[in-house]
Amino acid sequence: MSEAYTGGCACGANRYEIDGEPVVSVHCQCRDCQHKSGTGHGSYLAFQGAGVKLTGDPTRWDLVGDSGNVKTRAFCPTCGSPLYITNAAMPGLIAVHAASLDDPGRFKPQMVMYTVRGHAWDSVDPSLPTFEKMPPA
Ligand SMILES: [Zn+2]
Ligand SMILES: [Zn+2]
């Protein structure tokens, strides 16, 4: 088994440790990910929640995403770093932000989704498969 994925927020108050490999790794250009990242897309690794150990006390808020599903976002109330997302449409999965990893180089994106919301100034690796919205299940 590979080394655990570890990471957390910028100030260190919230940490995670994850056993197992990502189910999927994506860039998402939806409007919500733009707001939260402050730039053109968010980058995530989604894991089975059972393997995720969290420490700290993040603030959470719910929103209805472009997909129409409720998503819960967790971020550090001290430093504001986004930490992870859960999605009512994908129970059991938890998606962490690529740059929250202690070693962000372990992020291996497989696709770009919600390109319908993407901006001309936010070009992502053109060799990746793209989906206008969610990829087909
Ligand atoms: Zn923090
Ligand atoms: Zn998104």
Side-chain angles (χ1 to χ4, degrees):
M1 205 168 96
S2 73
E3 201 182 332
Y5 285 79
T6 58
C9 65
C11 77
N14 286 277
R15 298 281 304 162
Y16 58 77
E17 183 174 328
I18 304 169
D19 288 328
E21 291 299 313
V23 178
V24 67
S25 296
V26 304
H27 295 295
C28 180
Q29 294 186 309
C30 82
R31 191 72 184 103
D32 169 46
C33 290
Q34 294 171 13
H35 271 135
K36 180 248 343 142
S37 69
T39 185
H41 62 274
S43 302
Y44 309 95
L45 299 83
F47 292 90
Q48 295 291 350
V52 182
K53 272 179 289 195
L54 302 165
T55 54
D57 188 19
T59 299
R60 295 177 182 81
W61 64 291
D62 292 344
L63 74 165
V64 177
D66 274 349
S67 62
N69 298 311
V70 174
K71 296 191 280 193
T72 301
R73 295 195 171 279
F75 64 95
C76 175
T78 301
C79 69
S81 305
L83 285 157
Y84 61 86
I85 304 172
T86 53
N87 188 324
M90 289 174 270
L93 290 188
I94 178 166
V96 301
H97 292 256
S100 71
L101 291 170
D102 291 333
D103 179 5
R106 294 183 76 183
F107 177 54
K108 302 278 187 279
Q110 296 163 298
M111 67 180 79
V112 186
M113 50 192 252
Y114 271 96
T115 56
V116 69
R117 300 281 195 183
H119 301 291
W121 48 261
D122 185 49
S123 62
V124 183
D125 182 354
S127 71
L128 291 174
T130 59
F131 297 93
E132 282 199 354
K133 294 189 170 177
M134 296 286 281

